[in-house]
Amino acid sequence: MRQALDKTLRNQLESAVLTAREITETACREEIERLGIGDANVPAFLNEAQRKLRNRLRAHARQLGDPLHDNGKQETAHLLAEMAYEQWHRMLFARFLAENGLLLWEIGAAVSLDDCEALVQETDPAMNLGAKTKWELAGKLAARMLPQVFKPQSPVFELAFAPEHQRELERLLAALPTEVFQASDSLGWVYQFWQAKRKDEVNASEVKIGADELPAVTQLFTEPYMVDFLLHNSLGAWWVTRHPGKTCPVPLTYLRTLDDGTPAAGKFEGWPNRLDEFKLLDPCCGSGHFLVAAFLMLVPMRMVAENLSAHEAVDAVLRDNLHGLELDPRCVEIAVFALALAAWRFPDEA
């Protein structure tokens, strides 16, 4: 059920994400300059709609922490970072959904990227949401499904990149194999790769780590075998001690045992005896890698222990068991998406 990303695919994903960040930052920088967002004066060639968008983006920059100077100049570093992140990840997350049959036109009606291609040819704006390309439409559908990740009213989505940049991003995304979007740990790698350049810049600068630098230098992805080892020797060990003689519904590959067959990690006497009373808190949850792995253990366990259906167990685990904390709000958003993706694609026993 948990299929980790192999090294070859991981390298392809890393290359695509690193390149995408360069392209999106270049494209966003060009749009910021074209609209004169950082300038004190409005460029004379802007039409009324562009002027309104410029004002909204300047206000959004201040909300993000970019200062407005007394001379009217507006800083845009935080705005550029958010624009680049949001534009690329909306496309990327759309493909995650599409490749798992979860990109929905409406409840129960999944659409593929080919369907999106056909829909953008429709003349009725209600059918294509005003999108001009399949990726734009897929991104709008993804944003509609994930409103806490991609804020519907954010002005950053009203920008259109220059065609050459947009085509290059679409080419990058289309070139990634389907398997990348079906692995259980891909989303975690995505954010670490996105932060790699910034992490190198911060480390090289030797500046004091502040709020702007902290996310880049503290996001370290834990390899799947490490996650499995820790969970097998905690949650897995708990199962063995509470259900003697009963086979665990999840293979405990890394479980260490003593000569008498009991878990080397102990019996976890302080833990509850029922999983509906069990709480797991990841205090540095990052993009949710531990939480997803725990979810994929807890659902089968609760199905067996409480005679629940897959649907009931999924709901129960999300409701009762999993909690996470993280300094970086983007990580929290990715963790939420990763858990939602794991829940949506968990196989039903029927």
Side-chain angles (χ1 to χ4, degrees):
M1 189 179 301
R2 270 188 81 219
Q3 182 61 48
L5 203 61
D6 69 39
K7 187 172 182 180
T8 300
L9 292 176
R10 190 191 304 176
N11 290 341
Q12 287 182 259
L13 179 60
E14 179 178 20
S15 177
V17 172
L18 291 175
T19 304
R21 179 157 190 170
E22 293 289 340
I23 295 169
T24 50
E25 288 184 345
T26 298
C28 290
R29 195 172 291 108
E30 290 178 2
E31 289 303 299
I32 287 173
E33 292 175 359
R34 184 180 67 85
L35 292 172
I37 294 170
D39 300 335
N41 299 315
V42 181
F45 58 81
L46 297 186
N47 60 35
E48 186 61 25
Q50 291 170 329
R51 287 168 179 257
K52 290 180 178 178
L53 176 58
R54 174 182 180 273
N55 288 338
R56 290 183 64 206
L57 288 167
R58 280 169 65 89
H60 191 57
R62 293 192 290 277
Q63 291 172 346
L64 295 171
D66 287 325
L68 174 66
H69 298 293
D70 292 340
N71 61 4
K73 294 277 189 178
Q74 173 67 60
E75 298 292 338
T76 59
H78 291 87
L79 177 65
L80 187 148
E82 174 160 311
M83 288 167 57
Y85 175 87
E86 298 280 346
Q87 289 276 358
W88 164 249
H89 284 81
R90 187 174 69 161
M91 293 173 60
L92 185 70
F93 287 8
R95 189 163 176 208
F96 267 101
L97 291 168
E99 294 295 354
N100 288 278
L102 296 168
L103 187 64
L104 302 182
W105 177 257
E106 56 187 21
I107 296 177
V111 293
S112 66
L113 291 173
D114 288 339
D115 293 330
C116 290
E117 181 70 54
L119 285 167
V120 296
Q121 306 304 321
E122 297 284 346
T123 56
D124 182 359
M127 294 299 294
N128 57 34
L129 305 183
K132 296 180 176 61
T133 70
K134 69 176 182 181
W135 290 109
E136 184 183 0
L137 177 57
K140 288 186 174 185
L141 294 176
R144 195 161 66 179
M145 293 178 65
L146 302 166
Q148 298 305 313
V149 178
F150 305 110
K151 308 301 186 290
Q153 304 305 318
S154 176
V156 302
F157 293 122
E158 295 182 31
L159 287 172
F161 289 165
E164 62 272 20
H165 298 315
Q166 185 63 32
R167 284 194 298 268
E168 188 61 17
L169 288 174
E170 293 174 2
R171 184 197 65 77
L172 276 175
L173 195 51
L176 287 171
T178 299
E179 292 80 3
V180 166
F181 302 93
Q182 295 172 340
S184 61
D185 58 344
S186 293
L187 279 169
W189 286 115
V190 158
Y191 194 56
Q192 178 150 320
F193 295 152
W194 180 263
Q195 292 282 37
K197 176 186 173 184
R198 176 62 177 153
K199 180 180 178 181
D200 290 342
E201 290 173 349
V202 172
N203 288 336
S205 69
E206 299 183 353
V207 299
K208 183 178 180 181
I209 303 300
D212 289 340
E213 295 80 22
L214 193 63
V217 297
T218 57
Q219 293 305 325
L220 299 174
F221 191 76
T222 309
E223 291 279 359
Y225 76 89
M226 299 179 186
V227 176
D228 288 342
F229 181 90
L230 292 170
L231 288 174
H232 291 181
N233 287 282
S234 53
L235 185 57
W238 173 91
W239 174 275
V240 170
T241 61
R242 298 311 192 277
H243 301 84
K246 183 179 288 188
T247 302
C248 182
V250 180
L252 300 177
T253 310
Y254 297 100
L255 179 65
R256 288 185 167 188
T257 58
L258 301 175
D259 292 340
D260 62 0
T262 60
K267 297 181 179 181
F268 296 90
E269 290 91 344
W271 288 22
N273 291 321
R274 294 168 49 90
L275 284 175
D276 59 355
E277 299 174 353
F278 173 76
K279 307 293 182 186
L280 184 153
L281 171 65
D282 185 344
C284 304
C285 70
S287 49
H289 192 198
F290 268 96
L291 295 176
V292 169
F295 170 86
L296 294 174
M297 286 183 69
L298 285 163
V299 171
M301 286 179 171
R302 293 196 66 171
M303 289 173 66
V304 171
E306 301 168 46
N307 195 29
L308 300 177
S309 68
H311 180 78
E312 290 169 337
V314 165
D315 286 348
V317 170
L318 293 177
R319 181 187 64 242
D320 301 332
N321 302 132
L322 301 178
H323 306 271
L325 294 174
E326 176 56 56
L327 290 172
D328 186 346
R330 284 183 184 153
C331 272
V332 175
E333 294 169 352
I334 295 177
V336 170
F337 180 41
L339 271 175
L341 196 61
W344 287 332
R345 64 187 180 188
F346 193 89
D348 186 82
E349 70 275 21

